Structures are given as C-alpha cells and as structure tokens.
Amino acid sequence: MVVEKASTPKSGRPRAVTLDAILDAATEIADDRGLDAVTFRVVADRLGVSPMAIHRTTGGIDALQHALVSRIVGEVTGAVDWPDDWRGVVRLFAETLHDLLMRHPVVLEAHRRASLVGPGADDVALRVVRALGAAGLDEASAVYAYGTLHDFVTGHVAIRLGRGDLELMQIPPERRAVSVFADHHDYGRRFAYGLDLVIGGIAAAATTSVPHEEQR
C-alpha cells in the first residue's frame, strides 16, 4: 500500500494561488454568507486548491479576513474625487459609504466588530471632520457631527439589509394598511431625505456657532 504524503496536492490542483484570487473568492463568500463563512476549506474549494495553499499565502484566517475588508475599503477610498465645498464632502462621504456597505455587506459586518481599517480610511474621516470645521463647527462639534453622519448611514444600511426591500409585503395586510409607511416606503428616498436633514442640521449648528460642550 502506498501512502500519499500530506503535502502532495490533489491531482489536477495547482500548488499555489495568488493573494488577489484568494481575496476575490473570500469577498464573494463573505458577502453572500458572512465573514465567519470564510474558512480555509471553503475558499480552497472555491478555488480548487488545498486549504494549506490558502494558509501559506495569507498567513492565517484572521489575516485573511482582515485583508479582504481592508482591500475593499482601500479600493473605495482611493477612488474618491473630493469636492471643495463642505456640503459636497459630507454628501459624497455619506453616499460613498452607503453604496460601499450595500455592495459589500461584509464590511458592515466587520465594522460591528471593530473600526473599519484600510488604506485611506482614517484620512477620509479626517477629511470629513475638516470639512465640518470649515462649515463653522468647533473641533468637538465637527467630530460628533461626523459620528452622527456615520451612524445615520450605517444604521440605515443595517436596517435595509436586515429587512429587505419587500419589508411591507411580508407583514399581514391589515397591519400593512395602517402603517405610516403604507404609501411612503422607498428606501432610496428615505436615505436621501435623511441625508438632507443631517446636512441641514449641520448648517444650522454651524450658524449658531455654539460649542458642543455648551449644547448639552
């Protein structure tokens, strides 16, 4: 009886795989099934290689999960062409973050566990805070305004992803008939209207020029 060595790849399988190919596969899996579904075996099966090949290339499952989120965030932040006015910066940040989270739910899942990381992520936050300062907010108010904006976007996306676009159709007809959203339930309009309210609130706060500490 001949025993095959564990290091010998299965017939027809390549001995190595690129990190980009691994991250592509891992991102698809994570977006479809969640971050915890990204394992060496699942990714290996998707790519037709051995789990050890995935391990050798990534250095570990935590490193793989971190790398896939970091790459997604980095690709998006690196492609943003920022305007000069503060309203434009705020609006573009909110819309870009919204589209990113809707396209890649894994980023929102990762953000629930820790702050988003990736090339340029901190630079984006600082840029938005500086824009809010240019609007007339003091430093503390600008930071809290950024937090409010960020929470609005992530909260909206979390609800939309959790409930789905057919939310109203999934409740009993009698309950749906009395809902305040019966005739006005468009997630796109809700986001756009909410963003306008946030921007309007920032503008009003900047006009009063009251330091954040004195607003409490």
Side-chain angles (χ1 to χ4, degrees):
M1 178 178 179
V2 178
V3 178
E4 185 180 33
K5 294 182 180 180
S7 59
T8 302
K10 293 183 179 180
S11 177
R13 289 191 171 187
R15 295 178 180 273
V17 63
T18 66
L19 180 59
D20 280 342
I22 292 173
L23 294 179
D24 287 344
T27 299
E28 292 178 0
I29 294 166
D31 280 337
D32 290 341
R33 299 164 52 189
L35 197 58
D36 290 337
V38 178
T39 65
F40 290 147
R41 182 166 298 281
V42 172
V43 176
D45 288 345
R46 176 72 63 94
L47 294 174
V49 298
S50 69
M52 185 54 66
I54 306 298
H55 186 281
R56 284 196 303 266
T57 304
T58 62
I61 194 64
D62 290 339
L64 170 56
Q65 294 179 351
H66 181 279
L68 77 88
V69 174
S70 179
R71 187 180 71 158
I72 293 171
V73 174
E75 288 177 346
V76 172
T77 57
V80 177
D81 184 13
W82 296 100
D84 295 327
D85 64 298
W86 74 264
R87 285 182 175 83
V89 170
V90 169
R91 186 174 298 279
L92 182 57
F93 165 74
E95 292 174 347
T96 300
L97 179 59
H98 171 275
D99 293 347
L100 165 64
L101 299 179
M102 289 297 299
R103 188 166 62 254
H104 294 291
V106 62
V107 176
L108 181 60
E109 180 185 355
H111 186 49
R112 293 193 186 105
R113 306 181 184 186
S115 298
L116 289 182
V117 295
D122 290 334
D123 291 340
V124 168
L126 291 172
R127 181 185 290 270
V128 176
V129 170
R130 284 196 300 268
L132 293 168
L137 298 181
D138 64 275
E139 181 180 356
S141 297
V143 173
Y144 280 106
Y146 167 77
T148 299
L149 177 66
H150 186 279
D151 292 350
F152 162 69
V153 177
T154 56
H156 173 88
V157 173
I159 290 174
R160 182 170 181 177
L161 290 175
R163 296 179 180 177
D165 290 337
L166 299 178
E167 173 189 354
L168 278 182
M169 302 304 296
Q170 296 169 347
I171 62 177
E174 62 275 12
R175 174 71 181 84
R176 186 166 64 249
V178 299
S179 171
V180 297
F181 296 118
D183 299 320
H184 308 285
H185 185 64
D186 182 297
Y187 273 119
R189 292 185 63 182
R190 284 172 65 169
F191 178 77
Y193 190 78
L195 180 55
D196 285 342
L197 288 179
V198 173
I199 293 176
I202 292 171
T207 301
T208 61
S209 299
V210 178
H212 172 76
E213 289 75 9
E214 297 179 16
Q215 295 175 15
R216 291 180 298 175

